[in-house]
Amino acid sequence: MNKFAISLLLALSASITCYGSTAAEPMSSATKGRDYYEERGEIVWEVPTQKQVIALTFDDGPDPKNTGLILDLLKQYEAKATFFVVGSRVEKHPELVARAIGEGHEIGNHSFTHPSFHHIAAAKLKNELSRTQDAIYNASGFTSVLFRPPGGSYNEGIVHTSQDIGMLTVLWSWHQDTLDWRKPGAQAIVRKVLNNARNGDIVLMHDYVPNSSQTVEALKTILPELKQRGFSFVTVTDLLSYQDKSHKSMVDH
């Protein structure tokens, strides 16, 4: 991660105030809407831009079967992506994280054990994030500056704790949730992405889905088709650098 990227991410969330909680205190579910967090730069769903760029993201890996195949396809189509990894799996397969970093991709923090974040205690939250940061660093020599909460759950405590650790919370474009973890079929994943592709999208997929290679198969169609349409595939951090400051939001109403 270069110094410019880190500065950019921290600048987006620099206005956050401190959050305090006791170790035994559970964090309530989100009470503020998307507009509140998006306008403050505390959570990113997508990036308003006139540039034809898109960020593919993969959650829950690394996976010894699918992650390598996805990396092969990304290399074939000169695409960069962001992998939001689970720390416990990073410890088992550090070579995949090192390979992703070495090939120019980005690694984000997706917790250590992938627990429910709906009512997570403050101490457990910090432990989940910190242990994953350590696992990523041990595998690659890099520290993540992006965090995606399991299930997309967020609230003040989750957002501010990730900020305290040095990470920006990143979710995904609502119209680009492929639901590939449900194993809907490769063609359903293809249709979801291609029928909804817009500049600045953050696409949600998974490189770890038990007993499924549907995402890999879908990418064999998604990557060449979007490339033919003129899209460039970038990491989330790179996507942020394309942000059009004249547009506040790309929220669908």
Side-chain angles (χ1 to χ4, degrees):
M1 183 66 59
N2 59 49
K3 292 181 179 179
F4 170 77
I6 295 172
S7 298
L8 175 64
L9 291 168
L10 294 178
L12 287 170
S13 51
S15 62
I16 295 175
T17 57
C18 294
Y19 173 84
S21 178
T22 63
E25 182 181 353
M27 296 181 178
S28 61
S29 58
T31 56
K32 296 182 175 67
R34 171 170 171 173
D35 285 343
Y36 171 84
Y37 290 102
E38 197 163 39
E39 289 174 3
R40 290 162 61 92
E42 295 180 353
I43 302 178
V44 175
W45 278 265
E46 56 212 3
V47 173
T49 179
Q50 298 301 310
K51 302 295 184 180
Q52 206 168 1
V53 289
I54 194 167
L56 302 180
T57 67
F58 300 91
D59 287 9
D60 294 359
D63 175 65
K65 178 182 178 183
N66 288 327
T67 304
L69 295 174
I70 290 171
L71 288 170
D72 290 343
L73 286 167
L74 294 173
K75 180 184 291 186
Q76 180 180 348
Y77 292 101
E78 301 176 300
K80 303 304 179 188
T82 301
F83 293 82
F84 286 94
V85 297
V86 173
S88 60
R89 295 192 180 113
V90 172
E91 289 189 342
K92 294 178 181 177
H93 309 290
E95 73 285 352
L96 290 170
V97 173
R99 177 185 169 186
I101 290 285
E103 294 180 2
H105 304 291
E106 184 170 37
I107 300 297
N109 186 319
H110 195 45
S111 80
F112 194 80
T113 62
H114 204 280
S116 170
F117 267 47
H118 188 59
H119 289 294
I120 192 168
K124 182 173 178 59
L125 169 63
K126 187 173 182 180
N127 181 262
E128 287 281 332
L129 272 57
S130 297
R131 290 181 71 188
T132 304
Q133 290 293 78
D134 291 343
I136 293 170
Y137 182 80
N138 291 337
S140 66
F142 288 83
T143 300
S144 177
V145 293
L146 302 178
F147 169 63
R148 175 174 284 165
S153 297
Y154 62 88
N155 58 30
E156 292 289 280
I158 292 170
V159 169
H160 294 170
T161 298
S162 65
Q163 164 70 10
D164 289 342
I165 293 175
M167 295 183 292
L168 174 67
T169 300
V170 176
L171 296 180
W172 55 84
S173 303
W174 287 346
H175 55 277
Q176 287 288 15
D177 183 352
T178 64
L179 300 175
D180 57 347
W181 58 274
R182 292 183 179 176
K183 306 176 188 178
Q187 287 307 307
I189 299 169
V190 169
R191 287 193 298 270
K192 183 67 173 179
V193 177
L194 296 185
N195 291 347
N196 296 285
R198 308 175 189 173
N199 297 349
D201 277 354
I202 297 176
V203 181
L204 173 61
M205 291 183 282
H206 295 76
D207 56 328
Y208 173 70
V209 178
N211 303 313
S212 175
S213 58
Q214 292 179 4
T215 302
V216 175
E217 292 304 311
L219 284 170
K220 294 176 182 179
T221 300
I222 291 169
L223 286 165
E225 175 59 27
L226 288 182
K227 187 172 183 178
Q228 184 176 18
R229 293 184 191 180
F231 279 95
S232 295
F233 305 96
V234 299
T235 66
V236 169
T237 295
D238 286 339
L239 184 68
L240 291 170
S241 70
Y242 288 95
Q243 184 166 357
D244 183 348
K245 305 299 183 181
S246 67
H247 294 80
K248 286 187 176 181
S249 173
M250 293 174 64
V251 181
D252 293 329
H253 295 287

